[in-house]
């Protein structure tokens, strides 16, 4: 949208969060609140976005990066004072200024767009986004004129009994005609209960200057929820999570129980995938079509191909192909690439490994630092011994290899394609065939001799 700038107020510490982290950097649905707001404002494609920083400004600035211009507010003297920090950048600007707060992460771009369009269509000095709340405690109250325009906004601490009873509240989101905003800002004083320069005072000032201010009532009050405490944070998380689950379902995904399913905002899921209860899909995740995910699965920052089946497992920073099954009770750690139609079974841990197509690693295995070819079958209890106490070593296995139960791969080890060992082998170095590994046979016969003594029949 042309002739539009966005301002996001984010200088506050968030005293009631009792946190060392700036409030706007607290996560909701897997990303900082500020990111949600930034994304909503950016969706309107304004000419520029300003973020007003204060508390831990460096950290906020670093996080914002090149997504917006950060303007520092040295002392926190109120929301009007915060906007004043941007004024030097706006002197020449003719157009709309959209002001939002960094602690209202549920705002949707559609609502912001509607707000801007409304002001432009009605040629008013400003349009305030309001909403009606059962319990308006803590918010500024909207006082209307007889003709429905907004006369003023009264902060809770400055209300009289009549004003306190008003249920229409200020969401802290507004669109101003830029030059009108600048005129009004000059006139804001701090003669109020909190000794702050209130941005909300601009409304009454504009009225006195002969300009009209309108309200646009947000139909969904949850969209404008302001987060001031950890309890609010949990509320926002819950609402956003429900919204994400709804949009996932609208895209053709079955979510059996949205109440116990946690899907972050950056997750993409293909249609006809079914998500079973107690499942978390966090960070940047892509899941293909027709998968079955859950129950009790956590997938973080990973890719899963179509038709895969994951249950009772944790998959982290991994790439999983199509038609793969993982679990129950499996751990796939960072740096794994598991190709199509491979099965990772029960009590199997895989880390920093590439596993080819059509492999079976079905029971009680540890696979670390391995490169495994296609159609490889590793029997129960097969483990890579990748760490000698100092260094991690690689295990390389070719195609069509069969290693039976209880095989120990002492890395560095390289098993050639087609090699088969029925069970109990201890393999190290270059393994070209069964015969070339006498020490393996020795190890095998030793364990076989010991077994009957230790194992009860
Ligand atoms: C503000 C509004 C109130 C509205 C509510 C909606 C004012 C005076 N009041 O109240 O009418 O109902 O939001 O949530 O505007 N900030 C700065 N610099 C400052 C002060 C605040 O950047 O000097 C930022 C904060 O970081 C925050 C936002 O502005 O993101 C709102 O400030 P906050 O103190 O939370 O205002 P409220 O009391 O919630
Ligand atoms: Ca607030």
């Amino acid at each position: 949208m042309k002739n539009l700038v966005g301002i996001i107020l984010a200088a506050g510490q968030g005293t009631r969060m009792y946190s060392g982290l700036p409030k706007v950097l607290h996560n909701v649905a897997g990303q900082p609140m500020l990111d949600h707001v930034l994304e909503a404002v950016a969706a309107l494609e304004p000419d520029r976005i300003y973020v007003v920083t204060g508390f831990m400004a460096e950290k906020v600035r670093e996080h914002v990066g090149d997504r917006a211009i950060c303007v520092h507010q040295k002392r926190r003297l109120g929301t009007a004072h915060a906007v004043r920090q941007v004024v030097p950048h706006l002197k020449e600007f003719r157009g709309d200024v959209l002001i939002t707060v960094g602690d209202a992460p549920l705002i949707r771009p559609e609502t912001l767009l509607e707000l801007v369009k409304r002001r432009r269509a009605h040629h008013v000095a400003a349009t305030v986004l309001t909403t009606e709340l059962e319990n308006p405690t803590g918010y500024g109250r909207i006082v209307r004129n007889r003709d429905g325009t907004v006369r003023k906004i009264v902060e809770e601490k400055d209300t009289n009994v009549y004003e306190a009873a008003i249920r229409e509240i200020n969401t802290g989101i507004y669109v101003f005609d830029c030059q009108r905003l600048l005129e009004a800002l000059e006139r804001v004083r701090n003669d109020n209960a909190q000794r702050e320069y209130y941005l909300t005072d601009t409304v009454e000032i504009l009225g006195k200057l002969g300009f009209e201010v309108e309200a646009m009532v947000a139909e969904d009050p949850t969209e404008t929820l302001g987060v001031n405490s950890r309890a609010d944070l949990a509320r926002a998380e819950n609402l956003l999570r429900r919204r994400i689950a709804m949009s996932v379902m609208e895209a053709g995904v079955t979510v059996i129980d949205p109440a116990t399913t946690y899907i972050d905002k950056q997750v993409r899921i293909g249609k006809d995938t079914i998500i079973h209860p107690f499942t978390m899909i966090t960070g940047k995740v892509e899941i293909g079509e027709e998968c079955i995910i859950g129950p009790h699965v956590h997938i973080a920052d990973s890719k899963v191909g179509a038709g895969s089946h994951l249950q009772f497992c944790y998959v982290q920073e991994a790439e999983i192909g199509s038609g793969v099954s993982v679990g129950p009770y499996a751990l796939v750690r960072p740096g794994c690439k598991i190709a199509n139609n491979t099965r990772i079974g029960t009590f199997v841990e895989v880390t920093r490994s590439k596993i080819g197509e059509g492999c079976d690693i079905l029971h009680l295995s540890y696979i670390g630092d391995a490169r495994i070819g296609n159609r490889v079958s590793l029997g129960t209890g097969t483990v890579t011994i990748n760490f000698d106490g100092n260094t991690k070593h690689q295990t390389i296995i070719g195609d069509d290899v069969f290693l039976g139960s209880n095989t120990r791969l002492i890395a560095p080890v390289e098993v050639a394609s087609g090699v088969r060992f029925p069970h109990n082998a201890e393999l190290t170095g270059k393994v070209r065939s069964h015969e070339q590994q006498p020490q393996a046979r020795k190890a095998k016969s030793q364990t076989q001799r010991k077994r009957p003594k230790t194992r009860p029949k």
Side-chain angles (χ1 to χ4, degrees):
M1 201 175 231
K2 282 261 165 282
N3 303 323
L4 174 70
V5 300
I7 299 178
I8 302 171
L9 304 184
Q13 174 176 7
T15 325
R16 283 165 285 170
M17 297 292 284
Y18 300 101
S19 172
L21 197 66
K23 176 162 77 174
V24 294
L25 295 188
H26 280 263
N27 274 12
V28 170
Q31 64 181 50
M33 287 198 267
L34 183 57
D35 288 10
H36 292 282
V37 180
L38 259 173
E39 282 168 18
V41 174
L44 273 58
E45 298 180 0
D47 300 322
R48 291 184 300 280
I49 303 175
Y50 298 95
V51 174
V52 180
T53 60
F55 179 70
M56 295 183 84
E58 257 324 295
K59 205 168 176 129
V60 177
R61 182 191 300 270
E62 204 175 284
H63 182 79
V64 168
D66 59 7
R67 293 180 292 173
I69 300 159
C70 289
V71 177
H72 188 53
Q73 183 192 20
K74 275 203 198 93
R75 289 197 299 154
R76 238 185 118 232
L77 301 177
T79 44
H81 182 258
V83 176
R84 272 182 192 160
Q85 310 310 306
V86 188
V87 166
H89 300 261
L90 300 178
K91 283 271 193 289
E92 307 300 318
F93 181 70
R94 300 277 179 284
D96 291 75
V97 180
L98 168 67
I99 301 179
T100 58
V101 288
D103 61 354
L106 286 132
I107 189 69
R108 290 181 314 125
E110 292 83 353
T111 307
L112 296 178
L113 185 64
E114 174 79 28
L115 194 69
V116 180
K117 282 187 177 164
R118 200 63 84 83
R119 196 206 71 77
R120 288 186 178 181
H122 295 183
H123 306 287
V124 287
T127 306
V128 183
L129 185 67
T130 69
T131 196
E132 291 215 10
L133 294 182
E134 282 297 317
N135 175 10
T137 308
Y139 290 97
R141 308 296 204 279
I142 302 292
V143 180
R144 296 218 188 203
N145 291 310
R146 272 172 206 272
D147 64 0
T149 54
V150 181
R151 178 142 61 101
K152 59 178 176 176
I153 301 173
V154 187
E155 288 309 292
E156 171 147 290
K157 288 188 175 133
D158 303 301
T159 51
N160 60 38
V161 280
Y162 302 108
E163 291 159 348
I166 295 172
R167 286 179 31 224
E168 186 182 7
I169 62 98
N170 170 28
T171 62
I173 297 169
Y174 331 70
V175 177
F176 286 88
D177 173 290
C178 183
Q179 295 306 314
R180 296 288 95 81
L181 171 67
L182 301 193
E183 275 173 63
L185 274 178
E186 281 177 15
R187 295 171 167 82
V188 174
R189 302 276 167 269
N190 66 347
D191 46 358
N192 52 53
Q194 302 188 86
R195 295 262 144 243
E196 280 186 14
Y197 296 91
Y198 291 160
L199 180 60
T200 44
D201 282 357
T202 57
V203 172
E204 192 175 13
I205 292 167
L206 284 169
K208 285 182 176 161
L209 291 172
F211 301 110
E212 276 185 347
V213 175
E214 277 192 343
M216 180 178 117
V217 185
E219 270 153 38
D220 176 6
T222 64
E223 202 181 314
T224 57
L225 174 85
V227 173
N228 294 312
S229 63
R230 305 263 181 173
D232 292 337
L233 194 68
R235 216 165 290 142
E237 177 80 38
N238 189 281
L239 289 164
L240 196 54
R241 187 148 50 79
R242 260 195 261 171
R243 191 195 286 173
I244 294 168
M246 280 304 289
S247 75
V248 162
M249 289 189 279
E250 276 162 18
V253 174
T254 297
V255 180
I256 306 260
D257 181 19
T260 61
T261 306
Y262 301 73
I263 302 174
D264 278 355
K265 201 177 170 186
Q266 298 180 66
V267 173
R268 299 286 166 266
I269 308 176
K271 68 174 190 311
D272 288 321
T273 283
I274 300 171
I275 316 281
H276 286 277
F278 304 104
T279 291
M280 299 186 77
I281 308 176
T282 59
K284 229 181 143 161
V285 175
E286 263 177 58
I287 297 175
E289 297 183 359
E290 292 178 33
C291 290
I292 301 173
I293 309 292
H296 293 275
V297 165
H298 185 173
I299 305 174
D301 302 298
S302 297
K303 267 190 187 172
V304 179
S308 287
H309 186 176
L310 278 62
Q311 52 176 328
F312 297 92
C313 62
Y314 182 25
V315 174
Q316 192 191 4
E317 291 167 46
E319 223 176 282
I320 289 176
S322 303
V324 169
S325 78
V326 181
Y329 313 109
L331 173 62
V332 179
R333 290 169 52 192
C336 285
K337 242 179 148 167
I338 298 171
N340 301 345
N341 303 318
T342 280
R343 299 189 294 171
I344 304 296
T346 307
F347 299 111
V348 173
E349 174 177 340
V350 191
T351 185
R352 295 180 306 274
S353 293
K354 238 176 117 174
I355 302 174
E357 292 194 11
C359 294
D360 277 348
I361 308 172
L362 291 175
H363 329 273
L364 303 159
S365 277
Y366 169 69
I367 306 298
D369 301 293
R371 260 170 47 211
I372 299 178
N374 301 319
R375 297 170 304 277
V376 168
S377 177
L378 302 182
T380 304
T382 295
V383 294
T384 55
I385 297 158
N386 59 332
F387 187 52
D388 60 13
N390 289 312
T391 324
K392 300 250 165 69
H393 300 283
Q394 269 226 320
T395 296
I396 298 169
I397 300 177
D399 293 335
D400 301 294
V401 168
F402 174 88
L403 302 177
S405 297
N406 202 27
T407 301
R408 293 165 308 287
L409 293 145
I410 304 176
V413 52
E414 194 177 334
V415 182
S417 291
V419 165
R420 298 175 72 84
F421 279 93
H423 50 77
N424 278 334
E426 193 167 279
L427 307 177
T428 191
K430 285 204 189 305
V431 184
R432 294 232 158 68
S433 71
H434 193 147
E435 287 69 36
Q436 281 171 327
Q437 191 82 0
Q439 67 272 48
R441 269 191 312 218
K442 210 167 121 205
K444 176 177 130 193
S445 54
Q446 270 170 2
T447 45
Q448 271 177 341
R449 245 181 285 123
K450 272 187 217 142
R451 273 269 163 75
K453 286 181 210 155
T454 52
R455 243 198 202 164
K457 285 268 158 173

